[in-house]
Amino acid sequence: MSVPGTSSRGFGALAGQSPLLALVFVGGMLGAPARYGVEHVLPAAAGGFPLGTFAVNVVGAFLLGLLLESLILSGPDTGVRNRLRLFLGTGFLGAFTTYSSFAVQLDRLGRGGHASTAVGYAAVSLAVGLALVALGIWVAQRARQYRGAGA
């Protein structure tokens, strides 16, 4: 029985994708413990600003902007560029950054009577994250121009 609007291929659509899935898996296996390490070094006090999660999310935003713009500027998403995107972008940085912890922390702050901290955390996270993505993109573009001028 098939459900209208869904693929009938199921898991068969993943056939032949094992090496690419492995890149995402291994990247994630490295990114998640890296996040844990940062959050262990920068723990949030009860009702306080979640500095560890903030740090991994904004650093991850910068690195993702830098990585993806660098890859885009270097050519089509094929071969080594595709593998770097999957390993570093989807795998490592996908596991390093965390929306789920961000959302849970906002909820706990709000329910714990720290609404102003929650609102500030959300606003600062979004503003700094967007600014650092833009900075990462800008750095990648400048690096590309610098390499082009030196060639």
PDB file of all heavy atoms in Angstrom, residues 113-127:
ATOM      1  N   GLY A 113      10.875  31.484  35.197  1.00  0.00           N
ATOM      2  CA  GLY A 113      10.768  32.861  35.667  1.00  0.00           C
ATOM      3  C   GLY A 113      11.874  33.774  35.178  1.00  0.00           C
ATOM      4  O   GLY A 113      12.096  34.838  35.739  1.00  0.00           O
ATOM      5  N   HIS A 114      12.578  33.362  34.147  1.00  0.00           N
ATOM      6  CA  HIS A 114      13.692  34.163  33.604  1.00  0.00           C
ATOM      7  C   HIS A 114      13.382  34.581  32.167  1.00  0.00           C
ATOM      8  O   HIS A 114      14.197  34.410  31.261  1.00  0.00           O
ATOM      9  CB  HIS A 114      14.991  33.362  33.654  1.00  0.00           C
ATOM     10  CG  HIS A 114      15.312  32.840  35.014  1.00  0.00           C
ATOM     11  ND1 HIS A 114      15.819  33.633  36.015  1.00  0.00           N
ATOM     12  CD2 HIS A 114      15.164  31.606  35.554  1.00  0.00           C
ATOM     13  CE1 HIS A 114      15.987  32.918  37.101  1.00  0.00           C
ATOM     14  NE2 HIS A 114      15.593  31.681  36.857  1.00  0.00           N
ATOM     15  N   ALA A 115      12.177  35.134  31.984  1.00  0.00           N
ATOM     16  CA  ALA A 115      11.713  35.491  30.637  1.00  0.00           C
ATOM     17  C   ALA A 115      12.635  36.502  29.964  1.00  0.00           C
ATOM     18  O   ALA A 115      12.899  36.401  28.760  1.00  0.00           O
ATOM     19  CB  ALA A 115      10.285  36.020  30.687  1.00  0.00           C
ATOM     20  N   SER A 116      13.130  37.469  30.714  1.00  0.00           N
ATOM     21  CA  SER A 116      13.997  38.478  30.091  1.00  0.00           C
ATOM     22  C   SER A 116      15.306  37.853  29.616  1.00  0.00           C
ATOM     23  O   SER A 116      15.827  38.213  28.559  1.00  0.00           O
ATOM     24  CB  SER A 116      14.266  39.643  31.047  1.00  0.00           C
ATOM     25  OG  SER A 116      14.907  39.186  32.221  1.00  0.00           O
ATOM     26  N   THR A 117      15.832  36.899  30.374  1.00  0.00           N
ATOM     27  CA  THR A 117      17.037  36.194  29.927  1.00  0.00           C
ATOM     28  C   THR A 117      16.732  35.382  28.676  1.00  0.00           C
ATOM     29  O   THR A 117      17.536  35.362  27.734  1.00  0.00           O
ATOM     30  CB  THR A 117      17.578  35.277  31.042  1.00  0.00           C
ATOM     31  OG1 THR A 117      17.857  36.072  32.194  1.00  0.00           O
ATOM     32  CG2 THR A 117      18.849  34.555  30.609  1.00  0.00           C
ATOM     33  N   ALA A 118      15.566  34.739  28.638  1.00  0.00           N
ATOM     34  CA  ALA A 118      15.178  33.941  27.467  1.00  0.00           C
ATOM     35  C   ALA A 118      15.059  34.816  26.225  1.00  0.00           C
ATOM     36  O   ALA A 118      15.574  34.465  25.158  1.00  0.00           O
ATOM     37  CB  ALA A 118      13.865  33.208  27.741  1.00  0.00           C
ATOM     38  N   VAL A 119      14.387  35.935  26.357  1.00  0.00           N
ATOM     39  CA  VAL A 119      14.217  36.844  25.212  1.00  0.00           C
ATOM     40  C   VAL A 119      15.575  37.383  24.765  1.00  0.00           C
ATOM     41  O   VAL A 119      15.879  37.429  23.564  1.00  0.00           O
ATOM     42  CB  VAL A 119      13.237  37.991  25.561  1.00  0.00           C
ATOM     43  CG1 VAL A 119      13.240  39.066  24.487  1.00  0.00           C
ATOM     44  CG2 VAL A 119      11.828  37.438  25.758  1.00  0.00           C
ATOM     45  N   GLY A 120      16.402  37.771  25.720  1.00  0.00           N
ATOM     46  CA  GLY A 120      17.737  38.268  25.378  1.00  0.00           C
ATOM     47  C   GLY A 120      18.582  37.205  24.697  1.00  0.00           C
ATOM     48  O   GLY A 120      19.263  37.477  23.709  1.00  0.00           O
ATOM     49  N   TYR A 121      18.520  35.986  25.231  1.00  0.00           N
ATOM     50  CA  TYR A 121      19.262  34.858  24.655  1.00  0.00           C
ATOM     51  C   TYR A 121      18.825  34.600  23.223  1.00  0.00           C
ATOM     52  O   TYR A 121      19.666  34.439  22.328  1.00  0.00           O
ATOM     53  CB  TYR A 121      19.055  33.635  25.543  1.00  0.00           C
ATOM     54  CG  TYR A 121      19.644  32.334  25.059  1.00  0.00           C
ATOM     55  CD1 TYR A 121      20.924  32.261  24.542  1.00  0.00           C
ATOM     56  CD2 TYR A 121      18.904  31.155  25.156  1.00  0.00           C
ATOM     57  CE1 TYR A 121      21.459  31.045  24.118  1.00  0.00           C
ATOM     58  CE2 TYR A 121      19.432  29.942  24.746  1.00  0.00           C
ATOM     59  CZ  TYR A 121      20.708  29.889  24.224  1.00  0.00           C
ATOM     60  OH  TYR A 121      21.232  28.701  23.818  1.00  0.00           O
ATOM     61  N   ALA A 122      17.517  34.589  22.988  1.00  0.00           N
ATOM     62  CA  ALA A 122      17.005  34.350  21.632  1.00  0.00           C
ATOM     63  C   ALA A 122      17.446  35.464  20.685  1.00  0.00           C
ATOM     64  O   ALA A 122      17.948  35.198  19.586  1.00  0.00           O
ATOM     65  CB  ALA A 122      15.484  34.227  21.662  1.00  0.00           C
ATOM     66  N   ALA A 123      17.259  36.705  21.120  1.00  0.00           N
ATOM     67  CA  ALA A 123      17.588  37.846  20.254  1.00  0.00           C
ATOM     68  C   ALA A 123      19.082  37.915  19.947  1.00  0.00           C
ATOM     69  O   ALA A 123      19.486  38.092  18.790  1.00  0.00           O
ATOM     70  CB  ALA A 123      17.118  39.145  20.908  1.00  0.00           C
ATOM     71  N   VAL A 124      19.897  37.763  20.977  1.00  0.00           N
ATOM     72  CA  VAL A 124      21.353  37.837  20.778  1.00  0.00           C
ATOM     73  C   VAL A 124      21.832  36.665  19.929  1.00  0.00           C
ATOM     74  O   VAL A 124      22.685  36.831  19.047  1.00  0.00           O
ATOM     75  CB  VAL A 124      22.078  37.907  22.144  1.00  0.00           C
ATOM     76  CG1 VAL A 124      23.570  37.717  21.992  1.00  0.00           C
ATOM     77  CG2 VAL A 124      21.782  39.224  22.828  1.00  0.00           C
ATOM     78  N   SER A 125      21.291  35.476  20.167  1.00  0.00           N
ATOM     79  CA  SER A 125      21.692  34.302  19.377  1.00  0.00           C
ATOM     80  C   SER A 125      21.391  34.505  17.897  1.00  0.00           C
ATOM     81  O   SER A 125      22.232  34.225  17.035  1.00  0.00           O
ATOM     82  CB  SER A 125      20.977  33.048  19.874  1.00  0.00           C
ATOM     83  OG  SER A 125      21.424  32.699  21.164  1.00  0.00           O
ATOM     84  N   LEU A 126      20.180  34.991  17.598  1.00  0.00           N
ATOM     85  CA  LEU A 126      19.813  35.208  16.194  1.00  0.00           C
ATOM     86  C   LEU A 126      20.635  36.320  15.558  1.00  0.00           C
ATOM     87  O   LEU A 126      21.151  36.166  14.450  1.00  0.00           O
ATOM     88  CB  LEU A 126      18.322  35.511  16.087  1.00  0.00           C
ATOM     89  CG  LEU A 126      17.401  34.346  16.433  1.00  0.00           C
ATOM     90  CD1 LEU A 126      15.950  34.811  16.485  1.00  0.00           C
ATOM     91  CD2 LEU A 126      17.567  33.215  15.435  1.00  0.00           C
ATOM     92  N   ALA A 127      20.779  37.433  16.265  1.00  0.00           N
ATOM     93  CA  ALA A 127      21.517  38.567  15.701  1.00  0.00           C
ATOM     94  C   ALA A 127      22.989  38.229  15.486  1.00  0.00           C
ATOM     95  O   ALA A 127      23.547  38.468  14.403  1.00  0.00           O
ATOM     96  CB  ALA A 127      21.376  39.791  16.615  1.00  0.00           C
TER      97      ALA A 127
END
